Amino acid sequence: MNRRTLIPAFAGAASSKFLVALLLPVLVVVLALSGTPLHAAESAGSLFKHGQAAEAREDWDGAYNNYQKAYTREPKDMRYRTALYRVRVPAAAMHLARARKLEASGETQAAISELLHASEIDPSNEAVQQEIGKIRTKAGEAQAEAALPQPEGEQEELAGIGSPTVLKPLSNEPLTLHMTEDAKVIYQAVGKAAGVNVLFDPDYTSKRVQVDLNNVSLVDALRIVGTMSNTFWRPITANTIFVAQNTRVKRTEMDEQAVQTFYLSNAWQQNDLNDVQTALRNVMPNAKVYGVAGQNAIVMRGTPDELLLAQKLIDDLDKARAEVVVDIAIMEVSKNWERTLGISWPSSVAVALQSTTTSSSTSSSSSSSTSTTSTTTPTLYDLAHLTANNFAVTVGSATLNMLLTDSDTTILQSPRIRATDAQKATMKIGSRIPIATGSYSTGTAATTTSALVNTQFQYLDVGVNIEMTPTIHFDREVTLKIKIEVSSESGTTTISDVVEPIISQRVIDQVIRLREGEASILGGIQDNQESTSWTGIPGLSSIPLLKYIFGSKDHTIKDDDLVFVVVPHIVRSQDIGPSNLRAIDTGSGQTIELRRKDTVSPAAPPTTAPAARPVAAVVAPIQAQSAEGATHAALAQMHDQNRIADGTPLPTPTATVAPVITPVTTAQPAAPTAPATAPATGLSLTLTPPSAGQLVNGSTFQVPILVNGGTDIASVPVQLHYDAAKLSLANVAAGDLLSRDGQAVALIHRDDGPGNLTVVASRPPGSSGVNGSGVVCVLSFQARATGHTSIAFTRAGVINSAQQPVAAPVTHLDLEIK
């Protein structure tokens, strides 16, 4: 090819490269808009590396999502499973801390969404379920069902001891009575007014009493008359009572006895069963209490009131022990720097006198010669005629030193240990080193003249040894009695011809109280050493310009930082509610006689609800953090640097509507009305968006369906549409709105084709509707592709208790998946 053809070809190649460079961005944009993937799916190893990077910067959601994807693609790789399980606890703790902050600020629905996400990440975290139960309790919902089935009708009595009365009079109208008559006449007057038959003990001798009753209930009237006449009464049937003299003998004769077996669901050691038995025997000394350790059960014989009070006490005492996960970080940073510069001259010169050496040779006729060398001892004559050959001079060698040594060592040990309240937990990570020991004994035979030595060995645990006993308090603080020992073999020593190891150890043993998620330094030490040594010719090594020629300088710097940090995370807190804190009236004297609450008739004046018992103030939890991150902050603090913040601020939820659940008030069912033609005032249906950090391709997020400002809601049927190419429906879970009063809720969902969903949540037929705002159901979606998408209502509304539809405005949801 000549020059003239080469230039156009080169120019054409250059223009082609220019066109490719110009059109490549346009091609990328077109492919992105068309939804064509630019590259294949990431490998499990790449996702694992992304998860490690996210974990290093404490992005627990990102780490959990990447580890989960890596484990899904290669489930046989134990590294991915271990990493996934490792980040579950801090990721769930982070969402739990967010939920508590949101709930404290009044954003109840956003808090429930965070709690549901935390429960999905770590199903073993009981603290999440307890927080959901507390929110429902504050909203006026019924208590959770007991773990073991209870006899029919007992739950009503346990919900409010004495709420349903055994005596069922025909009328509960308030009584007003002013009489000064015989006690029997007054009893009969009260009984006739309430439709109750009154029978008297034949041994009872009545007396004349004066009573003034103004607008009191039947039970209170009977108690007042019994107090004035020194009598007591027992119900015989639903509308008959038996009256007798209030004496110990009569009460013993009249008290009904029953036997009941109580099963403890949380007693896992003998002390738990003994504690409950002791409490029952001290509170009710007249009852018979027997513990069956093999079945974790208590068999009790007593009056119905004693058995009912025993059930109340067992429900208060038979609680699952709180549990805590403690992150422990042990970080040691060592820096050794040494520089040696100069010339090391000989430090000594030795002169030694040598003996005189003579040599002689002999020859023979066979033409061979022999030489011999002999050394003679110096004589006085030799000393007088010494020459240079008689002296041996020894001069050491000179060394030119130009050496720089710089070594940095970082040792991080970050174990994690889970422990139960008041139970000791230990962890040992390391090895066991044998140590020789000896036992000395004298010989048994008469001919034995030497002692017998029997060498034995003991093993010493070397590594990281942790002993911890936590105490979890009701206000979500943790007291840790903890001992951390870090030991290693630093060398050996010989004792009586036996080589023994030298063990270096660092031990921290203390008791400390921390808030949940608070990082604390158990102990730390900072050791800085700097040494400088000179060697050289005296005088000459002190000359400023020539000191490195006539001497050598050794400069050594050693820095050693050691920090112990602990961070507690409560994964199961004490489940104590208002029903466990209220006082129970057990009557007067030694007899257990519970006071039942009366059923207030519509004509009776409204009663004022008792004030809630104050509880200890709860410290707002700080943002969850890892022990490793807190250790870095502690090291920086030891070097007098600025304190590192506890973490990035929590992102503000992007929900446009965050209604607060209001307590449900008991009301009579509303009378049927005409079909609604307009939406109720303030009634609306909305979709709560997830946080921006959850909208990642491949991740799972929740979208709660909320009802705002509802009145008499019995059913909520909705139809929705979503982009099936970008979203996949994973689950539909029931919300908290329709089940506030303990009613069972039927939740039905149907897939009507790609991207179409029908959900119907209904209360039982014939039940009254609920009022207020809350979550109807929670939709769980999995992101399948990046880009913009939406979830919209196609049909929506509510149905009241009269089975009449009520129109409600709706709000659609726009999402951006990254």
Side-chain angles (χ1 to χ4, degrees), residues 324 326-328 467-473 476-484 508-516 518-523 564-568:
V324 62
V326 178
D327 287 338
I328 303 173
E467 294 182 1
M468 180 184 68
T469 303
T471 301
I472 304 173
H473 305 283
R476 292 205 297 271
E477 291 191 358
V478 181
T479 297
L480 293 176
K481 182 180 180 182
I482 188 169
K483 179 181 180 181
I484 303 176
I508 293 293
D509 188 357
Q510 61 180 228
V511 179
I512 188 172
R513 179 163 177 164
L514 302 173
R515 291 178 295 164
E516 180 189 8
E518 178 183 0
S520 177
I521 303 176
L522 289 183
F564 296 85
V565 176
V566 295
V567 181

Side-chain angles (χ1 to χ4, degrees), residues 314-325:
I314 290 176
D315 289 344
D316 293 342
L317 299 176
D318 187 24
K319 300 289 186 180
R321 289 179 178 265
E323 296 182 11
V324 62
V325 171

Side-chain angles (χ1 to χ4, degrees), residues 498-578:
V498 178
V499 179
E500 297 285 0
I502 299 176
I503 306 299
S504 64
Q505 62 179 358
R506 299 175 176 89
V507 181
I508 293 293
D509 188 357
Q510 61 180 228
V511 179
I512 188 172
R513 179 163 177 164
L514 302 173
R515 291 178 295 164
E516 180 189 8
E518 178 183 0
S520 177
I521 303 176
L522 289 183
I525 182 173
Q526 183 175 359
D527 184 12
N528 298 327
Q529 298 181 9
E530 182 174 358
S531 62
T532 303
S533 61
W534 274 96
T535 59
I537 300 175
L540 297 178
S541 60
S542 301
I543 301 174
L545 298 178
L546 302 178
K547 59 182 180 180
Y548 291 103
I549 298 177
F550 297 101
S552 177
K553 178 182 180 181
D554 186 11
H555 188 194
T556 303
I557 298 177
K558 294 182 179 181
D559 292 335
D560 190 7
D561 295 336
L562 179 65
V563 176
F564 296 85
V565 176
V566 295
V567 181
H569 302 287
I570 297 177
V571 295
R572 186 197 299 269
S573 59
Q574 293 176 303
D575 188 10
I576 300 177

Side-chain angles (χ1 to χ4, degrees), residues 417-540:
I417 184 171
R418 179 167 179 165
T420 305
D421 180 33
Q423 300 299 314
K424 182 180 179 180
T426 61
M427 175 183 288
K428 296 182 179 181
I429 304 173
S431 58
R432 306 190 72 189
I433 297 179
I435 299 177
T437 60
S439 60
Y440 178 86
S441 62
T442 60
T444 56
T447 59
T448 303
T449 58
S450 62
L452 300 178
V453 178
N454 183 16
T455 303
Q456 299 177 350
F457 292 90
Q458 294 180 352
Y459 288 87
L460 181 66
D461 294 321
V462 174
V464 179
N465 300 324
I466 301 173
E467 294 182 1
M468 180 184 68
T469 303
T471 301
I472 304 173
H473 305 283
F474 181 64
D475 56 355
R476 292 205 297 271
E477 291 191 358
V478 181
T479 297
L480 293 176
K481 182 180 180 182
I482 188 169
K483 179 181 180 181
I484 303 176
E485 178 181 348
V486 182
S487 57
S488 61
E489 183 179 1
S490 59
T492 58
T493 183
T494 302
I495 303 175
S496 299
D497 297 332
V498 178
V499 179
E500 297 285 0
I502 299 176
I503 306 299
S504 64
Q505 62 179 358
R506 299 175 176 89
V507 181
I508 293 293
D509 188 357
Q510 61 180 228
V511 179
I512 188 172
R513 179 163 177 164
L514 302 173
R515 291 178 295 164
E516 180 189 8
E518 178 183 0
S520 177
I521 303 176
L522 289 183
I525 182 173
Q526 183 175 359
D527 184 12
N528 298 327
Q529 298 181 9
E530 182 174 358
S531 62
T532 303
S533 61
W534 274 96
T535 59
I537 300 175
L540 297 178

